[in-house]
């Protein structure tokens, strides 16, 4: 997919000076705005290129879209939601939750919608970020990049795809105006999105061809409707909801032990094997759906309906990548093919080659992408040397295969708000993480990763960047993450104060 030109000029408009500018209004941006306001920052603006907040939960509206983390954990700890109607909430409820949280905490009026960040560059003489957008210009003392890694769809370069005469769309850009009833559909990819939308569309299509490059581990999903009585209890007794959240957190952290000690995952993997055996009776299909790597090496998937859908008579599983499209025919790398009317891409997102990295520049005009050279890197996943007064949320090195994005985000927000409090109280003009500190942290992560299932599980995943390095994963517990990010460490930074002197703390 072509990216917008990061050097393109913004539409001429006013220049507004703010203390903090946040790019993006998904769960990261909304959470950051709430916490920074609670920390006393009121001169704050969020810019959002779309006309609605919500990030990935605004963009992904495909049939069956839902969370694969328990609802009680998939929310801000400071804004618990007693109204979840399912143990694993669906996309409309999550989007509504984000809207409600933004409104309740006074964030919505701070959002400038229809405003796309084009270029953000650090100006050291002013100690401010200059941000060009599709509408106006801003300068900011502090910049928060909250665009997120599950945002920009990844479209593979398939020969002949551009000449396909039917409809082609990515699952995150679902064409709700395109009726699939009675049509022949090819689904490219078998990841988290496909596992959800394939069972939703299978009953209505004439024929569904799933092109699966890699078989996935799919575990049963312990989902259920939450009775009204239980929701009433959660409203009346907030302690009950906190207890449920703590229990679910503990359960996922227990699972996380196995991600750090892959041999312990055999019991969980056995559950996946039994689930497959119980739901797919055809031995040939079952073999095609059996992964050849350790569970957890790729993102762990949950579904009670995916395997049964693939076993239906109108579904064909092609255990191969797509090599080309010739007219209306999709051709697999193994030579198999299918004539179809519609192609749906379930091919994921630009996770580690985040588009925001092409739009944020240091004082010399080098972008984050230029610095990273294909391997994203950040101290504690949050600050990058050479980019003072800037924070990256849900950044490199912080991903886990077992926990909630909210757990990671809130650990980061503890660090960011502590840094901003110290910055303001001490009268600093800039803070830039030292390159040797960032390098030492990155080396520590890379030294620990080979023992984890992310690196030792025998698969190729989106955890690995263009250089084959795992720039995504956190190799320890989220408890350790929360402890590491609990306090801001000024000794890790080069600090410039409001006085003419340069001070290294």
């Amino acid at each position: 997919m072509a990216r917008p030109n990061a050097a393109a000029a913004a539409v001429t408009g006013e220049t507004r000076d703010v203390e903090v500018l946040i790019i993006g209004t998904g769960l990261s941006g909304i959470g950051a705005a709430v916490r920074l306001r609670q920390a006393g920052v009121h001169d704050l603006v969020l810019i959002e290129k779309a006309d609605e907040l919500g990030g990935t939960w605004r963009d992904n509206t495909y049939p069956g879209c839902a969370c694969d983390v328990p609802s009680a954990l998939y929310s801000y700890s400071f804004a618990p939601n007693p109204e979840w109607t399912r143990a694993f909430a669906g996309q409309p409820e999550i989007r509504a939750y984000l809207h409600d949280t933004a409104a309740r905490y006074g964030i919505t009026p701070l959002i400038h919608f229809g405003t796309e960040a084009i270029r953000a560059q650090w100006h050291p003489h002013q100690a401010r970020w200059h941000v060009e957008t599709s509408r106006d210009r801003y300068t900011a003392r502090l910049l928060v990049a909250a665009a997120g890694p599950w945002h920009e769809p990844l479209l593979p370069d398939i020969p002949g795809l551009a000449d396909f005469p039917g409809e082609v769309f990515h699952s995150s850009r679902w064409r709700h105006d395109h009726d699939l009833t009675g049509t022949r559909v090819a689904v490219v990819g078998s990841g988290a999105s496909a596992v959800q939308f394939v069972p939703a569309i299978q009953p209505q299509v004439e024929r569904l061809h799933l092109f699966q490059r890699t078989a996935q581990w799919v575990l049963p999903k312990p989902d259920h409707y939450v009775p009204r009585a239980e929701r009433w209890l959660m409203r009346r007794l907030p302690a009950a909801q906190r207890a449920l959240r703590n229990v679910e957190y503990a359960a996922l952290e227990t699972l996380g032990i196995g991600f750090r000690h892959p041999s312990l995952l055999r019991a969980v993997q056995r559950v996946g094997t039994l689930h497959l055996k119980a739901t797919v009776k055809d031995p040939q299909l079952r073999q095609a759906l059996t992964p050849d790597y350790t569970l957890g090496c790729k993102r762990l998937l949950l579904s009670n309906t995916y395997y049964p859908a693939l076993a239906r008579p109108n579904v064909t599983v092609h255990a191969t990548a797509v090599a080309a499209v010739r007219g209306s025919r999709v051709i697999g790398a193994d030579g198999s093919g299918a004539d179809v009317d519609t192609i749906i891409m379930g091919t994921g997102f630009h996770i580690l080659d985040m588009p925001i990295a092409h739009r944020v520049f240091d004082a010399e005009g080098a972008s984050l992408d230029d610095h990273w050279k294909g391997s994203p890197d950040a101290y504690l996943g949050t600050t990058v040397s050479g980019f003072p007064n800037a924070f990256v949320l849900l950044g490199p090195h912080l991903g886990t295969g077992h926990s909630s994005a909210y757990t990671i985000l809130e650990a980061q927000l503890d660090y960011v708000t502590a840094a901003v409090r110290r910055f303001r109280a001490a009268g600093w003009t800039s803070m830039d993480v030292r390159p040797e500190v960032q390098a030492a942290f990155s080396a520590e992560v890379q030294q620990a990763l080979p023992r984890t299932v992310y690196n030792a599980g025998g698969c190729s995943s989106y955890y690995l960047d263009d250089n084959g390095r795992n720039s995504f994963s956190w190799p320890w517990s989220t408890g350790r993450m929360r402890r590491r990010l609990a306090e801001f460490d000024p000794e890790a930074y080069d600090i410039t104060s409001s006085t003419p002197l340069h001070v290294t703390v």
Side-chain angles (χ1 to χ4, degrees):
M1 171 173 285
R3 293 190 179 92
N5 183 2
V11 174
T12 302
E14 65 173 326
T15 297
R16 178 173 176 181
D17 300 325
V18 297
E19 185 172 11
V20 178
L21 180 74
I22 299 174
I23 302 173
T25 61
L27 66 94
S28 302
I30 298 301
V34 172
R35 290 291 305 276
L36 286 170
R37 282 185 56 131
Q38 291 173 338
V41 178
H42 297 289
D43 184 12
L44 180 153
V45 162
L46 303 91
I47 59 173
E48 170 56 59
K49 68 179 181 180
D51 295 326
E52 180 189 347
L53 63 86
T56 189
W57 296 106
R58 173 200 63 228
D59 294 344
N60 287 273
T61 61
Y62 58 80
C65 184
C67 191
D68 53 10
V69 171
S71 305
L73 269 182
Y74 204 79
S75 55
Y76 304 110
S77 63
F78 56 79
N81 179 20
E83 305 299 338
W84 298 121
T85 63
R86 300 203 64 84
F88 290 77
Q91 177 266 343
E93 282 194 88
I94 297 172
R95 182 173 64 180
Y97 168 75
L98 289 170
H99 275 265
D100 178 69
T101 302
R104 189 171 7 137
Y105 285 87
I107 303 305
T108 308
L110 306 177
I111 302 173
H112 293 191
F113 291 106
T115 303
E116 181 175 4
I118 303 298
R119 182 184 181 95
Q121 184 165 2
W122 175 248
H123 285 238
H125 299 299
Q126 300 173 14
R128 296 186 77 86
W129 283 94
H130 285 219
V131 182
E132 296 181 4
T133 78
S134 57
R135 297 181 64 179
D136 301 316
R137 292 180 172 86
Y138 300 82
T139 71
R141 294 183 70 196
L142 299 154
L143 182 73
V144 179
W150 293 280
H151 171 60
E152 193 69 28
L154 178 63
L155 294 175
D157 185 14
I158 299 174
L161 181 62
D163 298 322
F164 179 70
E167 294 292 335
V168 181
F169 55 88
H170 191 273
S171 60
S172 67
R173 304 293 185 266
W174 196 270
R175 286 283 308 278
H176 291 281
D177 60 339
H178 179 59
D179 187 5
L180 295 175
T181 303
T183 62
R184 301 166 301 171
V185 176
V187 174
V188 181
S190 57
S193 299
V195 163
Q196 294 183 342
F197 73 73
V198 163
I201 68 171
Q202 173 271 318
Q204 70 182 108
V205 304
E206 176 187 321
R207 193 81 202 168
L208 192 152
H209 294 271
L210 176 72
F211 285 84
Q212 168 197 273
R213 184 175 58 182
T214 307
Q216 304 282 350
W217 283 107
V218 182
L219 297 181
K221 189 173 187 177
D223 193 18
H224 61 83
Y225 175 73
V226 179
R228 291 179 180 273
E230 184 176 332
R231 282 179 270 156
W232 176 87
L233 178 66
M234 295 298 177
R235 284 195 300 270
R236 295 296 297 270
L237 294 175
Q241 191 172 14
R242 288 195 298 271
L244 176 62
R245 184 184 182 97
N246 290 337
V247 167
E248 291 178 343
Y249 172 76
L252 293 185
E253 282 303 292
T254 301
L255 176 63
I257 296 172
F259 283 68
R260 301 187 295 279
H261 304 279
S263 63
L264 299 178
L265 289 171
R266 292 189 188 121
V268 183
Q269 193 163 297
R270 178 66 175 160
V271 173
T273 302
L274 291 174
H275 178 49
L276 175 58
K277 187 174 182 179
T279 51
V280 177
K281 301 304 181 184
D282 180 348
Q284 191 172 0
L285 176 58
R286 192 163 61 238
Q287 180 61 36
L289 296 173
T290 300
D292 61 358
Y293 55 88
T294 304
L295 178 144
C297 184
K298 288 179 175 285
R299 181 174 173 178
L300 188 59
L301 306 180
L302 303 174
S303 177
N304 301 323
T305 56
Y306 181 63
Y307 286 151
L310 297 186
R312 300 298 296 170
N314 67 331
V315 177
T316 300
V317 174
H318 302 259
T320 180
V322 172
V325 175
R326 296 174 190 157
S328 297
R329 191 166 181 81
V330 179
I331 308 297
D334 64 353
S336 66
D339 292 307
V340 298
D341 309 303
T342 301
I343 300 175
I344 304 175
M345 297 292 183
T347 45
F349 300 89
H350 288 277
I351 301 292
L352 291 171
D353 55 336
M354 295 178 285
I356 192 68
H358 299 265
R359 300 166 185 249
V360 179
F361 295 81
D362 66 12
E364 284 71 43
S367 69
L368 270 173
D369 192 57
D370 294 331
H371 277 249
W372 287 343
K373 296 180 173 62
S375 291
D377 190 27
Y379 177 57
L380 297 177
T382 308
T383 54
V384 181
S385 183
F387 296 80
N389 297 13
F391 306 95
V392 179
L393 298 182
L394 297 182
H397 312 312
L398 292 180
T400 74
H402 66 279
S403 193
S404 168
Y406 281 87
T407 300
I408 299 167
L409 173 66
E410 291 202 43
Q412 278 192 285
L413 294 182
D414 286 343
Y415 190 82
V416 171
T417 53
V420 171
R421 282 194 182 101
R422 185 69 178 268
F423 180 92
R424 302 173 87 222
W428 297 341
T429 55
S430 72
M431 53 185 179
D432 188 11
V433 67
R434 297 179 183 179
E436 65 272 19
V437 171
Q438 181 177 321
F441 169 72
S442 180
E444 182 185 4
V445 170
Q446 295 305 316
Q447 186 176 11
L449 277 170
R451 298 187 294 274
T452 68
V453 73
Y454 310 120
N455 281 32
C459 75
S460 176
S461 72
Y462 67 66
Y463 304 149
L464 305 181
D465 60 35
D466 291 341
N467 300 316
R469 178 177 182 258
N470 188 335
S471 298
F472 180 85
S473 302
W474 175 264
W476 305 289
S477 69
T478 60
R480 180 166 175 172
M481 180 190 299
R482 292 159 76 182
R483 291 190 296 273
R484 288 288 295 267
L485 288 158
E487 295 182 5
F488 174 68
D489 47 346
E491 292 81 5
Y493 290 78
D494 288 331
I495 307 295
T496 304
S497 71
S498 55
T499 66
L501 294 176
H502 181 274
V503 180
T504 299
V505 183

